[in-house]
């Protein structure tokens, strides 16, 4: 251990020259310790956006466009061959090639020893690791963010609200609600076992959302009682009712509406043929009996690709 005298001497040798530099050249402090600062109004706007950031502002679009220009990215490739030529990395692979390797080697950096000594904590099927389930929807996976932003804005969603998705699939939309809402406030009912496998085995762990404890149950017949005694501020069904018999939809609504808070919102995508096929008068009668009021039809555009969806909104009265 160094002696007290040596410690004092070393402090003197290091500190005094720095003090002299600071006194002679005070502007060097800025050079040595750079910082990024915003005007008070900018800082306040950024902090308020961070608290409840839903949607994209004009400033966001301007910023990301400027970043792409600064990086001199230019136009994207025009052909499949050009995309392949641009691919870089240790071992660029297509999704099919990745799947082949995963099946062949039982992983990426795989164990050399027997499979019994594999210490993987959450073994995930290879098909999920290469994200084949992201192609289950007939449109880009990124559309899930568009749906979330539309519903969140249309319902004035807050973090303490409780949301129910009817038919959440592999959580293409649900991930964004889970991330936004307080823990335990996203609920879902889904019938497809493969979709639920993707949700639990891949999406929630890979997105770091296990701690949000979403309530997701499997049911073939809209058994909302499996979700417990909960009331919801927002309920939405993205194309789920399109694949159900009209009678099942109405039976499900009869069980669901009592679980919706007064003033709560219900969003149904694409169409409401389960209602229109009854005829206007009969449909309105059934809605009144359920204490649901039709608000109207709305559309929203995708941020990233040429697509928009139609949504029908109801309110619990």
């Amino acid at each position: 251990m160094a002696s007290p005298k040596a410690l004092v001497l070393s402090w003197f040798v290091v500190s005094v020259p720095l003090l002299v530099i600071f006194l002679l050249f005070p502007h060097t402090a800025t050079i040595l310790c750079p910082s990024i600062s915003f005007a008070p109004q900018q800082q306040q706007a950024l902090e308020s956006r961070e608290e409840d950031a839903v949607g994209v502002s004009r400033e966001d679009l301007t910023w990301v466009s400027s970043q792409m220009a600064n990086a001199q990215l230019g136009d994207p490739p025009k052909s499949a061959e050009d995309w392949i030529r641009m691919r870089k990395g240790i071992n660029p692979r297509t999704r099919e090639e990745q799947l082949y390797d995963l099946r062949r080697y039982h992983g990426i950096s795989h164990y050399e020893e027997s499979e019994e000594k594999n210490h993987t904590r959450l073994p995930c099927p290879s098909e999920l690791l290469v994200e084949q389930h992201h192609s289950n929807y007939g449109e880009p996976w990124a559309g899930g963010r568009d749906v979330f932003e539309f519903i969140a804005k249309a319902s004035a969603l807050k973090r303490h609200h409780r949301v129910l998705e009817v038919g959440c699939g592999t959580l293409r939309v649900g991930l964004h609600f889970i991330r936004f809402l307080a823990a335990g406030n996203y609920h879902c009912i889904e019938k497809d076992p493969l979709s639920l496998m993707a949700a639990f085995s891949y999406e929630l762990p890979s997105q770091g959302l296990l701690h949000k404890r979403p309530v997701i149950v499997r049911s073939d017949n809209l058994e909302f009682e499996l979700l417990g005694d909960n009331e919801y501020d927002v309920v939405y069904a993205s194309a789920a009712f399109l694949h159900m018999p009209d009678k099942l939809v109405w039976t499900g609504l009869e069980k669901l509406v009592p679980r919706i808070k007064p003033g709560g919102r219900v969003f149904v995508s694409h169409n409401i043929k389960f209602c229109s096929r009854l005829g206007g008068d009969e449909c309105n009668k059934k809605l009144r009996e359920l204490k649901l009021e039709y608000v109207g039809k709305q559309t929203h555009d995708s941020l990233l690709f040429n697509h928009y969806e139609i949504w029908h909104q109801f309110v619990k009265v």
Side-chain angles (χ1 to χ4, degrees):
M1 181 180 292
S3 66
K5 182 176 180 180
L7 290 173
V8 172
L9 180 61
S10 64
W11 176 90
F12 183 84
V13 169
V14 173
S15 301
V16 171
L18 288 175
L19 181 61
V20 171
I21 291 172
F22 179 80
L23 292 174
L24 292 177
F25 307 101
H27 61 280
T28 57
T30 304
I31 298 173
L32 293 172
C33 303
S35 62
I36 299 174
S37 61
F38 297 96
Q41 290 182 337
Q42 281 183 301
Q43 187 67 37
Q44 188 175 5
L46 286 171
E47 289 174 356
S48 63
R49 282 291 310 284
E50 289 173 4
E51 179 63 26
D52 257 340
V54 173
V56 177
S57 69
R58 185 172 298 174
E59 290 77 12
D60 294 334
L61 296 175
T62 300
W63 176 83
V64 74
S65 297
S66 69
Q67 297 304 300
M68 295 172 72
N70 291 340
Q72 300 179 344
L73 297 181
D75 294 328
K78 301 295 185 182
S79 67
E81 292 76 15
D82 290 339
W83 278 106
I84 292 173
R85 277 194 291 269
M86 285 189 68
R87 283 166 52 192
K88 301 294 190 297
I90 297 174
N91 184 23
R93 312 290 277 165
T94 64
R95 182 171 287 176
E96 290 74 19
E97 291 169 338
Q98 285 182 335
L99 182 57
Y100 174 78
D101 288 346
L102 286 167
R103 287 171 171 169
R104 180 182 177 188
Y105 297 117
H106 306 290
I108 301 173
S109 297
H110 56 281
Y111 288 94
E112 299 292 343
E113 299 183 28
S114 63
E115 192 64 22
E116 289 75 20
K117 296 185 178 180
N118 189 330
H119 300 294
T120 304
R121 295 188 179 182
L122 288 172
C124 186
S126 300
E127 288 77 7
L128 300 182
L129 288 173
V130 300
E131 300 179 343
Q132 283 191 340
H133 58 284
H134 284 191
S135 301
N136 287 358
Y137 296 91
E139 64 182 46
W141 178 260
R145 179 71 193 183
D146 297 321
V147 174
F148 163 72
E149 291 188 2
F150 164 73
I151 295 176
K153 289 179 181 178
S155 63
L157 189 69
K158 303 298 180 186
R159 297 184 187 277
H160 65 271
H161 284 166
R162 184 173 287 119
V163 174
L164 169 63
E165 180 173 5
V166 180
C168 57
T170 58
L171 299 179
R172 183 177 73 116
V173 180
L175 288 173
H176 303 285
F177 279 97
I178 294 168
R179 186 176 291 110
F180 178 85
L181 296 169
N185 280 10
Y186 171 86
H187 293 194
C188 162
I189 191 164
E190 170 61 50
K191 66 177 292 185
D192 181 51
L194 184 57
S195 294
L196 292 175
M197 187 182 300
F200 286 119
S201 299
Y202 181 77
E203 293 299 338
L204 290 174
S206 68
Q207 296 294 322
L209 293 173
L210 292 173
H211 69 287
K212 284 302 191 82
R213 299 294 193 273
V215 179
I216 303 173
V217 300
R218 181 181 173 185
S219 170
D220 293 334
N221 297 305
L222 300 181
E223 299 162 291
F224 295 111
E225 61 272 15
L226 297 176
L227 293 164
D229 297 327
N230 292 289
E231 289 189 320
Y232 298 99
D233 301 278
V234 177
V235 177
Y236 70 96
S238 180
F241 289 166
L242 299 179
H243 309 294
M244 299 179 189
D246 292 355
K247 184 177 180 180
L248 177 59
V249 174
W250 284 111
T251 301
L253 287 174
E254 290 172 4
K255 295 188 290 183
L256 173 61
V257 173
R259 297 170 176 271
I260 301 174
K261 295 179 181 179
R265 302 283 166 165
V266 179
F267 296 87
V268 179
S269 74
H270 293 77
N271 63 60
I272 49 172
K273 289 184 177 180
F274 65 89
C275 193
S276 60
R277 277 191 281 257
L278 293 174
D281 292 341
E282 183 63 23
C283 177
N284 289 328
K285 178 184 175 182
K286 290 182 77 71
L287 290 175
R288 284 194 300 270
E289 291 173 352
L290 291 174
K291 297 184 178 180
L292 278 181
E293 181 180 301
Y294 182 61
V295 175
K297 182 172 72 173
Q298 299 168 276
T299 63
H300 81 94
D301 296 313
S302 172
L303 174 67
L304 298 178
F305 57 100
N306 184 22
H307 176 73
Y308 77 94
E309 277 190 341
I310 298 172
W311 286 85
H312 297 268
Q313 183 181 168
F314 303 82
V315 63
K316 168 79 173 287
V317 295

